[in-house]
């Protein structure tokens, strides 16, 4: 049973560029959430997707957008990258009725130079 | 804004010692989770607590949810080097999720 997978593992981008991160949820899970984790901090909730719709959003600007596909996989897009966007981006999947119990992928380490 | 505070921020102990870490908030949560995260990896779910006053045990780890569902504690008995990691608590209210900053535990052999 495959767990949550994310790609790519590492990514280096230049300020102003755009980036797309990908996530495949744990088998059977229908809900995907994205988090940003800066060095030395806890994860910050970006948004959650269920049934291809954004259900909830954290305190992140519109430069952060996402998508969920019919197979429940998801993408996180970040436009106009800033140096402060450098972080570990985590994807977590869950069942819609047990949203607090999340299973995380290994993350994508994004470095913006 | 819901905030979760965790204490201590850092903890370094010798193998075999006992320890307790805390997770506190002014908000009431419908459920609270504890995770452990190792460097370069995503957090791994340890436990979910739902009922005020609930106590759950996972081998040498004991988790307690406060009666008012605003705080929680994690007690580790006879810590081992394999317990080293970042311990995160997370609270949920509906589809709103918040994580604490974590307690970084180092267990020395």
């Amino acid at each position: 049973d495959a767990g949550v997978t994310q790609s790519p593992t590492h990514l280096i981008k230049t300020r102003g560029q755009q980036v797309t991160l990908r996530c495949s949820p744990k088998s059977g899970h229908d809900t995907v959430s994205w988090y940003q984790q800066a060095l030395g901090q806890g994860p910050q909730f970006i948004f959650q997707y269920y049934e291809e719709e954004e259900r909830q959003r954290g305190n992140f600007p519109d430069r952060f957008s996402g998508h969920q596909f019919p197979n429940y996989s998801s993408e996180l897009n970040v436009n106009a990258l800033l140096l402060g966007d450098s972080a570990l981006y985590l994807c977590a999947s869950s069942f819609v009725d047990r949203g607090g119990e999340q299973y995380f992928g290994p993350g994508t380490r994004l470095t913006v130079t | 804004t819901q905030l979760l505070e965790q204490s201590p921020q850092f903890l370094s102990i010798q193998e075999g010692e006992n320890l307790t870490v805390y997770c506190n908030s002014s908000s009431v949560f419908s459920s609270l989770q504890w995770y452990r995260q190792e460097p370069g990896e995503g957090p791994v779910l340890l436990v979910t607590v739902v009922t005020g006053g609930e106590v759950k045990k996972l081998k040498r780890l004991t988790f307690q949810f406060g009666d008012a569902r605003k705080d929680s504690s994690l007690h580790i008995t006879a810590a081992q080097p394999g317990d080293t990691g970042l311990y995160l608590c997370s609270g949920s209210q509906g589809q709103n999720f918040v994580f604490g900053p974590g307690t970084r535990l180092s267990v020395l052999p």
Side-chain angles (χ1 to χ4, degrees):
Chain A
D1 177 23
V4 179
T5 60
Q6 292 186 243
S7 63
T9 306
H10 296 87
L11 201 53
I12 300 175
K13 289 286 188 178
T14 302
R15 190 171 49 183
Q17 286 188 317
Q18 178 264 344
V19 67
T20 297
L21 311 181
R22 295 176 176 82
C23 170
S24 290
K26 182 177 168 65
S27 178
H29 284 178
D30 53 14
T31 302
V32 173
S33 302
W34 286 93
Y35 292 84
Q36 180 193 68
Q37 186 175 26
L39 206 59
Q41 298 183 20
Q44 299 293 313
F45 176 66
I46 303 175
F47 41 53
Q48 183 186 77
Y49 277 84
Y50 170 67
E51 290 190 337
E52 303 178 49
E53 298 276 341
E54 183 182 292
R55 291 183 85 196
Q56 190 76 24
R57 188 180 184 92
N59 190 25
F60 278 81
D62 292 344
R63 298 188 297 110
F64 290 77
S65 63
H67 189 78
Q68 186 181 33
F69 299 94
N71 67 353
Y72 307 117
S73 67
S74 177
E75 288 182 350
L76 164 66
N77 300 292
V78 187
N79 295 322
L81 284 167
L82 303 174
L83 296 179
D85 294 331
S86 294
L88 181 67
Y89 287 85
L90 295 163
C91 169
S93 72
S94 59
F95 293 111
V96 65
D97 58 349
R98 301 189 71 173
E101 294 185 350
Q102 300 181 79
Y103 292 81
F104 284 83
T108 293
R109 172 70 62 188
L110 173 65
T111 302
V112 182
T113 62
Chain B
T1 303
Q2 304 164 348
L3 286 176
L4 276 171
E5 298 176 345
Q6 291 189 245
S7 61
Q9 188 177 358
F10 299 97
L11 187 57
S12 182
I13 62 171
Q14 293 294 134
E15 182 176 2
E17 293 183 6
N18 302 331
L19 67 115
T20 302
V21 298
Y22 301 92
C23 174
N24 297 288
S25 175
S26 58
S27 300
V28 175
F29 293 100
S30 54
S31 70
L32 190 141
Q33 287 75 36
W34 283 92
Y35 295 83
R36 184 173 74 206
Q37 184 177 24
E38 299 190 28
E41 299 181 10
V44 175
L45 179 66
L46 296 175
V47 77
T48 293
V49 286
V50 177
T51 306
E54 182 177 4
V55 176
K56 281 191 173 179
K57 291 191 174 183
L58 183 66
K59 297 183 181 178
R60 294 176 294 100
L61 278 60
T62 302
F63 305 85
Q64 184 162 8
F65 202 12
D67 291 340
R69 291 186 290 134
K70 293 183 179 181
D71 53 81
S72 181
S73 63
L74 158 59
H75 181 79
I76 301 178
T77 303
Q80 299 176 0
D83 295 327
T84 293
L86 179 67
Y87 288 81
L88 295 159
C89 65
S90 174
S92 59
Q93 281 189 348
Q95 302 312 314
N96 218 5
F97 304 102
V98 60
F99 275 80
T103 291
R104 190 163 299 279
L105 172 65
S106 178
V107 182
L108 305 174

